[in-house]
Amino acid sequence: MSKTVTDNTLQAIISHAKEYGFVFPSSEIYDGLSAVYDYGPYGAQLKKNIRDYWWKSMTQMNDNIVGIDAAIFMHPTTWKASGHVDSFSDPLIDNKDSKKRYRVDHLIEAHADKLNEEAAKAADGGAALRDRAMKLLADMDTLLANDDFAGLGALIQDHKIQCSVSGTSNWTEIRQFNLMFSTELGSVAEDANTIYLRPETAQGIFVNFLNVQKTARMKIPFGIAQTGKAFRNEIVARQFIFRMREFEQMEMQFFVKPGTQKEWYEHWKNERMNWHLSLGIAADKYRFHDHVKLAHYADAALDIEYEFPFGFKEVEGIHSRTDYDLTRHQEFSKKKLQYFDTEINQHYVPYVIETSIGLDRMFLLILSNAYEEEQIQKEDGTTDARVVLHLPAKLAPIKLAVLPLTKKDGLPELAKALMDECKPSFHCFFEEKDAIGKRYRRQDAIGTPFCVTIDHQTKEDNTVTVRFRDSMQQERIPMSEVKALVLKHIA
Ligand code: GAP
């Protein structure tokens, strides 16, 4: 039997995710809500498994990291102190003819992509076009770093960048657009009651710095981890769950002594990459991308990028945030947020290294990496096809499918006994309907790593057939060894 892989486009992954109960468009019966998604039965479990894997790696595997669960709503001054009210915005531009609104960086990047596509087809090799695309992106980075909107506008005009809808270059001025959602708390009359849905979970950690340090008796260096929802009014929402308006983050703020931030930045850069690789994903699917334009709070920053079906994109950020956040919260709250270091007998505001990963984006990464359409060449010369999710066993929503060969002769009872033995330890799935091959295919499609078939021989010698998802190999083993086999692979 040999296998070949075919198409794994984003569109195929989106359709598969919907068909097999991983991800649905939000409120689909009302035609959906742009950039908002719901997770179905297998999606919710897969998402939980990714979250748990992260949470365990942070709070259980590190003695000096503890977790919290802060509220989504925070005092509005939080967002003044953090800088989000003044500078959490994207530069936008509108096309006057089509009225379509673009994020300036996305508009320019799309034009650079077009130039590179033309270069690939050019008879002369396309070197000049490629140089133009590279210079365009470099100029954009410099102008964005200096908040030079007039320069960006001129760049768009110089390159005659057109709207994909109207085909014209009739652009408005570039404006900043704040990404935070606001709502009212209590009485709607007063301005002071306007509050925001948090655009990141990090601030819930900063404002609780002293509460956590004192109650958990933490000594620097130490970290506080949190997972939870964040909200951003993304103007350009594209690529499925890659960029959403409501999403979940898994963030960890690591508090260090000032002056040691560089070594901890390196430490967390390596630790986080190792976490990704521990899931068995090929190293060449990842790369680091150092930031040219640093956020207002950072003295160093990089992205961990993964090669999605639409190219290398950010999945996680590692940021050296200096003492910016704690100092700002000190200023705005008039409360001291300092640490007394008994080793040097001194108070100081700690520096912070942040690791911040999007749970939904990690979910898309896992799904993209796992999805495969296989053509199977069988020994009898015929071909077969299957769609399989090669999910890491520890993340798979269902670990074991228990399949009695027939609905009679006591086989379902034996299968149920195995289910009862395994259920307390991991998620199992029981199915007695349809031919066994069809049942295997359904489990392949949701990424179940092991199927066990109970047949008439089981009644005689208590052995079962284990079928392995990735190799499709089958092995006869004692039923009493099934649980241990699965546990070994998901540990
Ligand atoms: N506290 C730092 C912070 O929030 P960020 O780079 O803006 O940094 C961190 O976001 C991570 O959150 C990103 O690497 C990405 O995985 C995820 N993320 C950000 N915006 C997102 C969105 N609109 N939809 C899905 N995930 C998003």
Side-chain angles (χ1 to χ4, degrees):
M1 194 157 50
S2 70
K3 299 184 286 182
T4 56
V5 179
T6 57
D7 183 37
N8 76 338
T9 61
L10 182 64
Q11 205 45 54
I13 293 166
I14 296 171
S15 307
H16 188 83
K18 178 156 185 261
E19 188 180 345
Y20 286 93
F22 284 87
V23 183
F24 309 128
S26 161
S27 23
E28 197 188 7
I29 58 167
Y30 296 106
D31 298 330
L33 184 63
S34 168
V36 186
Y37 290 89
D38 297 339
Y39 287 82
Y42 298 122
Q45 188 61 46
L46 174 57
K47 193 174 168 197
K48 181 181 184 305
N49 293 348
I50 299 172
R51 190 193 297 112
D52 289 350
Y53 187 61
W54 181 90
W55 183 258
K56 183 176 174 185
S57 79
M58 285 294 177
T59 65
Q60 192 172 326
M61 301 306 286
N62 290 291
D63 304 340
N64 58 356
I65 298 182
V66 288
I68 63 164
D69 183 12
I72 287 173
F73 289 140
M74 299 182 71
H75 192 285
T77 309
T78 307
W79 305 110
K80 288 206 179 86
S82 68
H84 283 81
V85 170
D86 292 328
S87 55
F88 191 57
S89 48
D90 281 338
L92 302 178
I93 193 166
D94 293 23
N95 184 270
K96 290 182 191 161
D97 300 319
S98 68
K99 312 279 184 258
K100 188 169 159 60
R101 181 166 288 174
Y102 294 87
R103 240 176 82 172
V104 167
D105 54 336
H106 288 170
L107 181 70
I108 296 175
E109 277 166 10
H111 188 69
D113 286 348
K114 217 164 93 189
L115 291 175
N116 282 324
E117 277 164 28
E118 282 169 24
K121 290 186 216 140
D124 65 356
L129 283 167
R130 252 190 300 278
D131 285 351
R132 229 169 106 200
M134 214 146 71
K135 181 160 177 354
L136 172 63
L137 293 176
D139 287 349
M140 177 188 79
D141 280 343
T142 312
L143 293 164
L144 279 173
N146 296 320
D147 287 333
D148 183 349
F149 297 146
L152 284 162
L155 190 70
I156 289 170
Q157 294 298 349
D158 289 350
H159 282 261
K160 298 188 175 52
I161 297 178
Q162 294 171 344
C163 165
S164 60
V165 177
S166 66
T168 69
S169 302
N170 193 9
W171 299 108
T172 60
E173 307 256 284
I174 294 172
R175 290 176 306 113
Q176 288 282 56
F177 180 86
N178 196 294
L179 297 180
M180 281 197 293
F181 285 103
S182 62
T183 185
E184 275 93 27
L185 191 71
S187 151
V188 295
E190 296 156 41
D191 251 1
N193 286 336
T194 297
I195 58 166
Y196 299 99
L197 273 70
R198 67 180 177 200
E200 61 172 13
T201 59
Q203 298 304 324
I205 295 179
F206 293 127
V207 299
N208 278 299
F209 165 70
L210 272 191
N211 281 340
V212 176
Q213 189 267 318
K214 287 193 170 141
T215 54
R217 295 185 291 126
M218 304 306 285
K219 282 204 158 46
I220 274 183
F222 75 91
I224 306 178
Q226 173 168 223
T227 71
K229 290 269 179 154
F231 303 83
R232 296 183 187 178
N233 198 359
E234 300 281 2
I235 290 309
V236 186
R238 300 185 293 188
Q239 290 146 343
F240 191 33
I241 54 173
F242 182 82
R243 194 178 303 286
M244 302 158 87
R245 297 203 164 103
E246 175 182 341
F247 58 100
E248 201 166 329
Q249 287 187 317
M250 306 188 287
E251 298 200 297
M252 194 278 296
Q253 311 298 327
F254 199 73
F255 298 92
V256 304
K257 190 171 161 186
T260 63
Q261 68 270 22
K262 271 206 171 67
E263 70 197 67
W264 284 112
Y265 178 70
E266 286 304 315
H267 170 86
W268 282 109
K269 172 181 168 180
N270 294 328
E271 280 289 303
R272 292 305 304 147
M273 183 57 96
N274 288 339
W275 180 85
H276 285 271
L277 299 180
S278 73
L279 289 166
I281 298 165
D284 65 0
K285 296 287 281 180
Y286 282 105
R287 70 182 185 195
F288 290 118
H289 170 76
D290 290 314
H291 284 204
V292 182
K293 183 188 177 188
L294 291 174
H296 55 274
Y297 50 74
D299 71 359
L302 61 86
D303 297 333
I304 295 178
E305 293 187 341
Y306 171 81
E307 192 177 16
F308 287 95
F310 39 87
F312 272 100
K313 299 278 176 211
E314 170 188 351
V315 64
E316 173 158 7
I318 315 289
H319 311 125
S320 175
R321 293 182 77 124
T322 67
D323 58 357
Y324 176 85
D325 304 271
L326 290 180
T327 305
R328 293 277 291 184
H329 286 305
Q330 260 192 171
E331 280 169 22
F332 279 74
S333 68
K334 313 262 185 299
K335 309 259 166 39
K336 276 209 154 48
L337 291 176
Q338 294 188 348
Y339 174 79
F340 182 69
D341 193 328
T342 49
E343 277 178 23
I344 53 170
N345 250 352
Q346 247 180 326
H347 282 99
Y348 55 76
V349 178
Y351 271 45
V352 171
I353 307 300
E354 168 183 72
T355 73
S356 175
I357 176 167
L359 175 52
D360 311 85
R361 217 171 265 192
M362 189 62 201
F363 183 103
L364 181 59
L365 183 161
I366 292 291
L367 212 56
S368 313
N369 198 68
Y371 183 88
E372 200 168 45
E373 290 176 16
E374 283 181 355
Q375 288 298 328
I376 304 158
Q377 195 71 43
K378 296 208 284 201
E379 271 138 23
D380 63 5
T382 58
T383 57
D384 198 359
R386 70 164 182 165
V387 174
V388 55
L389 292 185
H390 299 287
L391 295 173
K394 51 191 153 212
L395 298 185
I398 305 289
K399 313 294 186 200
L400 176 72
V402 184
L403 315 172
L405 195 61
T406 66
K407 286 186 192 172
K408 47 185 202 301
D409 303 333
L411 301 187
E413 286 74 14
L414 280 173
K416 288 258 165 70
L418 182 59
M419 290 282 294
D420 289 344
E421 186 196 343
C422 295
K423 256 192 311 199
S425 304
F426 45 80
H427 275 264
C428 304
F429 187 91
F430 174 88
E431 192 169 42
E432 54 187 6
K433 198 173 155 275
D434 289 330
I436 201 75
K438 222 171 177 182
R439 283 186 263 170
Y440 284 157
R441 289 290 180 274
R442 280 202 288 265
Q443 294 306 314
D444 289 343
I446 61 167
T448 305
F450 307 101
C451 291
V452 155
T453 306
I454 314 278
D455 57 19
H456 292 91
Q457 196 183 325
T458 311
K459 280 173 68 176
E460 285 161 25
D461 61 8
N462 269 322
T463 63
V464 294
T465 304
V466 181
R467 185 251 192 196
F468 297 85
R469 175 197 66 200
D470 296 342
S471 63
M472 291 186 282
Q473 296 294 317
Q474 302 190 9
E475 207 178 300
R476 195 98 206 163
I477 65 165
M479 192 153 94
S480 57
E481 289 177 11
V482 171
K483 182 176 162 188
L485 173 102
V486 177
L487 283 175
K488 192 178 102 192
H489 283 87
I490 63 173

